[in-house]
């Protein structure tokens, strides 16, 4: 297994900024935009949590930042690269080379064992599967001894750790996490959040996480709160109560406007 120093020397020497600049996204021309002109920068090696009620634009923002959806107006910069003008193949290659993804439902395949699930994105891209690298990232998430186990033998927390190992495989500049603790109990969620903290602080990836959970959001360096497709609050992480109060204030204001 690589030492911490060896692993860190293997990482890219620099990371670029990921940013949204004036993003507007509509799914229905007759309705209000899902994103209403969002501008925000996500610094390299930082962890940002995105919060807001259902329909506030959280997942749409995440999808636009990763190039999975195209904004109607504005610009996305991913790891220092503007996405405007890139075709579908170029966007897919950029995601493959520079991004990792972690989802609430894990997105693992029961027909493949643990190591095969971790290696799958590389195989789909036609790259050589480096079993040493696969075992390295499994060791990083505490699953080195489960490489050949079936997915259906793992707990929910272990499955999410497999998903994080898969996201780490290509040493991504940016990791996008959509409700990564939403299906987990508190203790297991804690372990997953520790790993995401390491992804940002030790491995240098920019982590962008959507969550409904103020406690999970408090682990991040920064929390942004969305309402009606715009950023209505920005605050530092570290204090779950403060994050919860900020989100509740936004919800209360929205209810009063709706009366």
């Amino acid at each position: 297994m690589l030492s911490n120093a060896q692993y860190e020397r293997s990482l890219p020497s620099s990371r670029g900024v990921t940013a949204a600049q004036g993003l507007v996204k509509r799914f229905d021309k007759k309705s209000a935009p899902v994103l209403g002109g969002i501008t925000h920068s996500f610094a390299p090696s930082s962890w940002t949590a995105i919060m807001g009620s259902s329909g506030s634009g959280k997942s749409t923002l995440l999808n636009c930042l990763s190039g999975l959806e195209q904004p109607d107006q504005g610009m996305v910069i991913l790891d220092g690269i503007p996405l405007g003008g890139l075709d579908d193949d170029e966007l897919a290659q950029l995601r493959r080379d520079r991004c990792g993804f972690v989802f609430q439902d894990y997105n693992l395949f029961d027909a493949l064992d643990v190591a095969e699930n971790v290696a799958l994105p590389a195989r789909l891209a036609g790259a050589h599967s480096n079993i040493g690298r696969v075992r390295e990232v499994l060791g990083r998430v505490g699953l080195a001894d489960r490489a050949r186990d079936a997915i259906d033998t793992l707990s929910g927390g272990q499955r999410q750790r497999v998903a994080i190992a898969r996201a780490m495989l290509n040493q991504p500049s940016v990791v996008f996490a959509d409700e990564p603790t939403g299906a987990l109990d508190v203790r297991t969620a804690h372990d997953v959040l520790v790993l995401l903290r390491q992804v940002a602080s030790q491995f240098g990836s920019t982590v962008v996480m959507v969550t409904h959970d103020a406690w999970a959001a408090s682990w991040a360096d920064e929390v942004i709160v969305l309402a009606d497709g715009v950023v209505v609050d920005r605050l530092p992480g570290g204090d779950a109560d403060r994050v919860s109060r900020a989100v509740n204030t936004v919800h209360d204001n929205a209810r009063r406007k709706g009366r």
Side-chain angles (χ1 to χ4, degrees):
M1 180 179 294
L2 294 176
S3 68
N4 286 343
Q6 289 172 321
Y7 184 83
E8 288 164 4
R9 283 198 295 271
S10 75
L11 297 175
S13 58
S14 63
R15 308 284 194 178
V17 170
T18 294
Q21 298 180 355
L23 290 194
V24 175
K25 178 67 177 180
R26 292 181 174 86
F27 293 111
D28 182 350
K29 293 181 179 180
K30 297 180 180 180
S31 302
V34 179
L35 301 180
I38 289 179
T39 295
H40 191 80
S41 293
F42 304 84
S45 305
S46 69
W47 180 359
T48 301
I50 304 172
M51 299 195 71
S53 60
S54 297
S56 61
K58 303 185 302 299
S59 293
T60 301
L61 175 58
L62 201 73
N63 289 340
C64 286
L65 289 170
S66 62
L68 292 170
E69 294 180 9
Q70 300 298 311
D72 295 307
Q73 297 175 36
M75 177 186 292
V76 172
I77 298 172
L78 178 58
D79 190 30
I81 299 174
L83 299 190
L86 298 184
D87 62 27
D88 289 344
D89 289 341
E90 291 168 330
L91 287 169
Q93 182 175 348
L94 187 64
R95 284 192 296 270
R96 182 194 71 197
D97 294 343
R98 297 174 184 258
C99 300
F101 294 87
V102 182
F103 301 99
Q104 179 176 345
D105 59 1
Y106 320 130
N107 280 12
L108 303 177
F109 293 88
D110 289 344
L112 304 178
D113 65 25
V114 167
E116 289 168 338
N117 267 282
V118 173
L120 183 60
R123 289 179 57 193
L124 292 176
H128 176 67
S129 180
N130 185 333
I131 189 60
R133 173 65 182 155
V134 170
R135 290 186 179 278
E136 167 62 20
V137 293
L138 283 173
R140 289 278 166 175
V141 300
L143 293 175
D145 59 340
R146 306 296 299 269
R148 291 307 174 191
D149 288 358
I151 291 298
D152 62 8
T153 67
L154 304 184
S155 67
Q158 289 169 330
R159 294 183 190 203
Q160 194 61 291
R161 283 191 273 159
V162 173
I164 292 173
R166 180 182 58 195
M168 292 168 57
L169 184 67
N170 66 342
Q171 303 176 33
S173 296
V174 187
V175 171
F176 295 102
D178 195 351
E179 298 284 1
T181 62
L184 305 177
D185 60 69
V186 172
R187 181 175 179 179
T188 307
H190 173 274
D191 294 341
V192 168
L193 292 168
V194 168
L195 288 173
L196 289 175
R197 178 75 273 167
Q198 293 173 352
V199 168
S201 300
Q202 295 182 19
F203 308 150
S205 299
T206 302
V207 177
V208 184
M209 177 182 75
V210 164
T211 183
H212 283 93
D213 186 345
W215 172 70
S218 71
W219 284 69
D221 300 308
E222 180 184 33
V223 181
I224 62 174
V225 184
L226 305 188
D228 298 325
V230 297
V231 177
V232 293
D233 202 358
R234 295 177 172 88
L235 62 154
D239 187 333
D241 289 338
R242 179 172 53 189
V243 172
S244 182
R245 288 194 299 270
V247 173
N248 287 338
T249 296
V250 171
H251 290 173
D252 290 343
N253 290 340
R255 283 196 295 268
R256 283 195 291 270
K257 288 181 180 178
R259 288 177 183 173

